[in-house]
Amino acid sequence: MDNQTVDPASNQAQVLSSLRSPLKEEVETSIRKEGISYIFESRSVSAVLNFVYTPIDGTFADIELEINGTPPIKPAEEGGLLVDMGGRIHPSNSEEVERHFISCEQLENCVEARWQWVVDEEMANFLYRFRILGKSLVVEVEGGNGKAAGLSLGRVTNAPSTKLITVPYFNLGDTYPRLMRTSGLFISSFIDWQYTHSTSLHSVDEAAAVRESRLNGGCTYEKNSNGQRVSLQERWLLTASNDFAEAFPNVQMASQPHSSDRSLSDKAWFNIPHIEASEESYVEIYENLLTLKQFGIDDLIVNHPSDTWHDGDSSGTFTLEAAPLKGGDDALSEYIDALKDLKYSTSLQTSFRDISADSSDWSPSVGAQTADGQPVVTGTGTYLFKPSLALQRAEGHSAAVVEKYKPDALYLDAHAARPPWDFTDCDGQLSGSTTLSHSLQTQRDLLRLLAAQNPLIGQGGSHWLYAGILQGHLASMPGKNPSQLPPVVDFDLRKMHPLQSDAGVGSIDHFFGQTVPATEKHGRSAFLSRYIAATAAFGHAALLPDPNEWGISSALKSYFMLRMLQSQYLRVAVSSILYHSNGKFSSLEDAMHNDAYEQGQIKVEYANGTLIYANLGPESWQIEENGQDYALPSGSFWGRAEQGNVLAYSAEDAIGRIDLSSCDEYVLIDAHGQQRTHGAIQVDGLALVKERKWEIDVITMDCQAETTIDVGQLWPDRKLPPLRLLVFKPNEETPEVHRAEMDGDKVRLPDIDGAYMYRITLPEWMVEPGK
């Protein structure tokens, strides 16, 4: 047996502060012995739970769960310790391992069981400690003297009528832990990541979870380069409750936001996907962004890839020299200055994960090590940069990048996108470097250091572990096709949303698992509509699709459908989240029981009154707001915000589909090919209208019929003189001047080749008298 021991009384406070969620009802707990079994009872008004431990096999198969006297469930069949003995790793139920029972006794509020594992003449001793805490069986396991290679949480057997539930953004790397609904209760199975000494946690993919009824995976202990593992220390929480929130772990966010700076918080995002190794690359990108600006997209942060630092020949880590084939430092600096002239915010990417073998900074000493002492390979010709060195060098490098190129923010790649165990360094000279706690703390320290220095955003994916440190993340969802995940928004909206301004739900192609056909990449695509609706449902900022791939109308719609709405919900506390099914709204708790969450019809209300309806389910949804009915088809949304008179929706009526976003600053309407009138606008395609004092700017796209603007509605207090029409074309500094074609107070917009915007205005002598 290891010398390490944990006093039951002193450890009780640690258990209470772990992942166990607060209970909503009084619970009486007790421990009793029946024969050789110990029964941990949890008794409440809602259920009587008996967790039964019978020390027979030494694995987690010794644990059963009885719910209200029904036949017992095996919550962790095939689960238990993995040991490295006899020259290889043995699974928890290996027949090659002799598991010898030593003792089992009750010590006040816990039961301790001691076991010895034997393979050939090799031995390892383990201590199990069992407690009942509320509606959870808490199992602590320790010992092994470095021979424990991990823990498996097994699979659930003998449970009737089961359903597995996945919560978006609550992930372990590329996979999700799940909760199970059975017998009217929810069962969860979690390793306490605040307590573990393991290197990594893992779950299983969806197919294995469904096929084998696996809620979770387990944990793994890696050796360091000296061939040593830390001794096992684990806490497993097995919870059963009729309340979903009680079964879900109590997730504590990493920190509160590091500052009140919200300079980047309300902006829409545009990510440059790739920069070709050409001296014309920045010119081409600038011209594309200038086009966005000309079409009225003003409030944008432009994020650049790592290509700014290399021409495809290295990772660019720690370099301050811009990629030479793209024009080097001068080209990059001039380009960033040009974007500032457009009043676009910019970020430059940095990362301290990879280093290329071609880098001048590379040597084996700066590379993280595998258990066999070799550099950790992260890609073709790249290696994991030692996290301890990254923490030392990141601050100076980031400051130098900002000083030299003056971006508005840094965009941190990889670090919040990957789980902390992807940064494990097995160097035997570093104490505790193989533990998850060490890796997680190192990454949090790195992010906090950089965020305190400059505005910091970054790639997400594992960002729930770092919420509140960065100003925002590209909110990628792990999974092969995240659009197929149940749209359970509570975890994101209640936990992360108040702390940061995330953007998108990953890129649009990532969200749909790279399944969007090329023919569906356009402004009226059902994929685009669903993506925008999902962005609104999760309370995120707009992420514009690449107009070179999706078309300029897709970028316009993504921006203007959400721009003013997101300014009223980003970082605003949520007051209620309801799920709709069959004419009734349910809270998350009820929705998990009656399957309303599977309908994907969500109503979110914020503390400032901003309201979102999102229909991410397969069926149409009829809603009523302000005395008006709206039919929301699959993959659509409706939103309202009082400040700015914001109303935005994608709906269907007797005429057909309509996308509309209206506020004090603009009106965007897409009539989807059907002639319709909205206020002062008559159009059959897309029209963006911005009315200012004595000027009306109009952008039209995909129109077959004539577009008209009823100027009398917009300027009702003045008799209209003959009006001018200014026609703007790309690459022309001054607009063409035309006499507006009018039918009464209505201006008919001509179809002029090359025009991107029309401006209706007063005669020149009225606008600028004396000139």
Side-chain angles (χ1 to χ4, degrees):
M1 176 70 66
D2 287 346
N3 293 327
Q4 179 186 8
T5 61
V6 181
D7 177 67
S10 64
N11 196 46
Q12 185 73 4
Q14 295 182 26
V15 175
L16 288 170
S17 64
S18 67
L19 304 186
R20 189 178 66 89
S21 293
L23 300 178
K24 300 178 181 178
E25 62 179 344
E26 292 186 3
V27 178
E28 294 182 359
T29 61
S30 62
I31 305 174
R32 67 181 185 273
K33 187 177 182 182
E34 292 185 3
I36 64 170
S37 299
Y38 290 87
I39 300 175
F40 300 81
E41 185 175 272
S42 169
R43 182 177 292 271
S44 64
V45 172
S46 62
V48 177
L49 310 173
N50 283 326
F51 298 92
V52 182
Y53 173 62
T54 308
I56 296 176
D57 191 48
T59 68
F60 289 168
D62 290 344
I63 298 171
E64 295 179 319
L65 170 59
E66 297 173 357
I67 302 172
N68 296 325
T70 58
I73 294 170
K74 289 270 194 177
E77 186 76 49
E78 300 176 1
L81 292 164
L82 286 71
V83 293
D84 186 355
M85 300 173 69
R88 68 186 188 89
I89 295 176
H90 299 268
S92 57
N93 58 352
S94 172
E95 295 182 355
E96 298 179 22
V97 178
E98 299 177 25
R99 290 177 286 274
H100 298 300
F101 174 65
I102 305 299
S103 66
C104 189
E105 58 182 338
Q106 182 175 346
L107 299 173
E108 296 182 354
N109 63 350
C110 73
V111 171
E112 290 188 352
R114 289 172 168 78
W115 290 82
Q116 185 178 81
W117 266 233
V118 179
V119 175
D120 297 329
E121 296 182 355
E122 195 172 352
M123 294 182 296
N125 296 304
F126 297 97
L127 169 64
Y128 292 70
R129 187 177 293 110
F130 301 86
R131 289 188 182 84
I132 183 70
L133 194 63
K135 300 178 184 180
S136 300
L137 180 68
V138 181
V139 183
E140 293 175 347
V141 190
E142 60 187 52
N145 198 26
K147 296 177 182 178
L151 203 67
S152 169
L153 297 181
R155 60 191 184 93
V156 180
T157 60
N158 303 331
S161 304
T162 62
K163 180 183 286 289
L164 297 181
I165 299 169
T166 305
V167 176
Y169 292 114
F170 182 61
N171 57 297
L172 300 175
D174 293 330
T175 57
Y176 290 89
R178 294 166 175 83
L179 282 73
M180 173 180 283
R181 192 184 70 203
T182 181
S183 300
L185 271 70
F186 301 98
I187 299 175
S188 64
S189 178
F190 289 99
I191 289 173
D192 189 342
W193 58 84
Q194 302 174 36
Y195 184 80
T196 181
H197 279 182
S198 68
T199 304
S200 62
L201 305 180
H202 62 272
S203 188
V204 296
D205 63 29
E206 182 181 9
V210 172
R211 183 177 64 250
E212 302 174 6
S213 292
R214 293 186 183 271
L215 306 185
N216 212 332
C219 64
T220 301
Y221 282 67
E222 296 287 348
K223 292 180 178 179
N224 64 20
S225 58
N226 295 332
Q228 299 173 337
R229 285 191 186 90
V230 298
S231 289
L232 183 80
Q233 176 182 293
E234 295 301 329
R235 179 184 291 144
W236 170 40
L237 276 78
L238 176 65
T239 305
S241 174
N242 70 325
D243 189 293
F244 183 81
E246 292 179 349
F248 196 81
N250 183 25
V251 179
Q252 300 296 321
M253 294 293 103
S255 71
Q256 293 298 312
H258 69 277
S259 75
S260 58
D261 180 11
R262 293 191 56 168
S263 58
L264 305 177
S265 297
D266 294 339
K267 295 182 181 296
W269 286 34
F270 181 68
N271 283 11
I272 304 295
H274 175 63
I275 305 176
E276 293 291 337
S278 165
E279 289 188 358
E280 299 300 316
S281 290
Y282 288 123
V283 174
E284 293 173 1
I285 294 171
Y286 173 80
E287 290 176 349
N288 290 333
L289 292 170
L290 177 61
T291 299
L292 295 181
K293 183 72 174 182
Q294 290 172 335
F295 278 104
I297 295 176
D298 295 322
D299 209 9
L300 200 64
I301 180 166
V302 181
N303 305 311
H304 297 84
S306 62
D307 299 350
T308 52
W309 308 118
H310 63 83
D311 293 307
D313 51 358
S314 70
S315 69
T317 302
F318 296 120
T319 183
L320 287 173
E321 307 302 321
L325 295 183
K326 301 180 180 75
D329 293 353
D330 290 342
L332 179 57
S333 295
E334 291 174 7
Y335 161 76
I336 292 176
D337 288 342
L339 294 193
K340 290 183 185 298
D341 291 339
L342 295 180
K343 294 184 168 45
Y344 281 169
S345 298
T346 59
S347 77
L348 291 178
Q349 188 174 122
T350 187
S351 175
F352 307 100
R353 170 175 165 75
D354 304 309
I355 186 166
S356 170
D358 296 330
S359 170
S360 60
D361 293 289
W362 166 251
S363 72
S365 64
V366 304
Q369 295 183 25
T370 63
D372 59 5
Q374 298 300 309
V376 178
V377 176
T378 58
T380 303
T382 61
Y383 302 93
L384 178 63
F385 192 78
K386 221 171 188 58
S388 55
L389 292 180
L391 189 59
Q392 296 174 24
R393 295 186 57 180
E395 183 177 23
H397 176 74
S398 299
V401 171
V402 173
E403 173 65 25
K404 184 173 183 178
Y405 297 101
K406 296 179 175 53
D408 298 284
L410 292 177
Y411 185 97
L412 191 64
D413 185 43
H415 293 268
R418 295 176 175 272
W421 45 87
D422 277 6
F423 296 84
T424 301
D425 184 2
C426 294
D427 187 344
Q429 298 186 31
L430 300 175
S431 176
S433 64
T434 59
T435 64
L436 168 57
S437 59
H438 182 276
S439 298
L440 178 58
Q441 190 61 50
T442 300
Q443 292 307 305
R444 285 178 173 174
D445 288 345
L446 176 67
L447 268 58
R448 288 190 180 106
L449 182 71
L450 297 177
Q453 184 183 36
N454 298 291
L456 187 67
I457 58 177
Q459 175 74 24
S462 289
H463 52 284
W464 70 272
L465 289 164
Y466 307 101
I469 301 178
L470 277 64
Q471 287 199 18
H473 307 83
L474 172 59
S476 299
M477 287 185 192
K480 294 180 180 178
N481 190 337
S483 67
Q484 296 179 353
L485 290 171
V488 179
V489 300
D490 296 68
F491 176 67
D492 186 4
L493 283 176
R494 295 193 184 278
K495 288 290 187 178
M496 295 187 289
H497 176 88
L499 304 178
Q500 59 202 23
S501 298
D502 293 333
V505 281
S507 70
I508 186 168
D509 286 291
H510 167 79
F511 182 64
F512 291 105
Q514 309 298 329
T515 63
V516 182
T519 55
E520 283 296 318
K521 294 186 175 182
H522 56 79
R524 292 174 181 165
S525 167
F527 291 94
L528 177 67
S529 295
R530 182 174 293 271
Y531 181 80
I532 294 172
T535 301
F538 283 93
H540 295 169
L543 175 70
L544 275 56
D546 183 358
N548 291 322
E549 186 176 7
W550 280 80
I552 190 66
S553 62
S554 296
L556 273 177
K557 191 171 288 186
S558 299
Y559 181 83
F560 286 104
M561 289 294 287
L562 293 178
R563 174 66 195 96
M564 295 308 297
L565 196 60
Q566 74 184 40
S567 70
Q568 298 304 309
Y569 65 57
L570 287 170
R571 294 202 187 185
V572 177
V574 170
S575 58
S576 72
I577 301 172
L578 298 173
Y579 295 84
H580 174 264
S581 180
N582 298 321
K584 297 180 180 179
F585 285 98
S586 302
S587 66
L588 177 66
E589 308 304 329
D590 293 336
M592 288 297 171
H593 282 287
N594 61 26
D595 292 334
Y597 74 97
E598 292 187 326
Q599 299 303 309
Q601 297 175 354
I602 310 157
K603 178 182 180 182
V604 181
E605 186 165 6
Y606 291 86
N608 62 2
T610 301
L611 186 61
I612 301 290
Y613 292 86
N615 183 10
L616 302 180
E619 305 296 331
S620 184
W621 182 18
Q622 195 83 15
I623 68 169
E624 180 184 351
E625 276 294 331
N626 299 328
Q628 184 173 347
D629 293 331
Y630 299 88
L632 304 185
S634 175
S636 65
F637 82 101
W638 184 100
R640 181 199 69 209
E642 294 178 3
Q643 185 172 339
N645 296 313
V646 184
L647 176 65
Y649 59 82
S650 182
E652 288 180 344
D653 57 19
I655 298 175
R657 186 71 176 255
I658 176 174
D659 299 320
L660 177 74
S661 181
S662 173
C663 62
D664 289 343
E665 294 188 11
Y666 61 81
V667 175
L668 175 84
I669 181 172
D670 187 355
H672 285 255
Q674 301 296 319
Q675 188 78 20
R676 65 167 70 232
T677 300
H678 176 82
I681 308 167
Q682 186 179 55
V683 68
D684 71 346
L686 182 147
L688 173 67
V689 179
K690 295 182 179 181
E691 187 273 329
R692 297 180 299 277
K693 187 176 182 180
W694 310 127
E695 287 185 344
I696 303 169
D697 287 348
V698 185
I699 293 171
T700 61
M701 289 184 182
D702 303 322
C703 297
Q704 302 301 315
E706 189 176 66
T707 300
T708 64
I709 306 296
D710 189 342
V711 180
Q713 281 196 42
L714 299 177
W715 298 340
D717 300 329
R718 186 166 185 173
K719 184 176 180 180
L720 295 177
L723 300 175
R724 287 188 304 161
L725 187 68
L726 307 184
V727 180
F728 293 81
K729 295 182 178 181
N731 303 320
E732 294 187 9
E733 293 185 3
T734 58
E736 297 177 4
V737 181
H738 295 253
R739 182 184 179 93
E741 298 181 21
M742 299 186 67
D743 183 4
D745 289 345
K746 295 180 180 179
V747 173
R748 300 193 302 269
L749 298 183
D751 184 11
I752 298 178
D753 287 342
Y756 69 83
M757 187 178 76
Y758 302 90
R759 176 171 293 163
I760 302 168
T761 187
L762 296 173
E764 188 174 6
W765 63 268
M766 294 185 67
V767 178
E768 300 176 285
K771 292 189 178 181

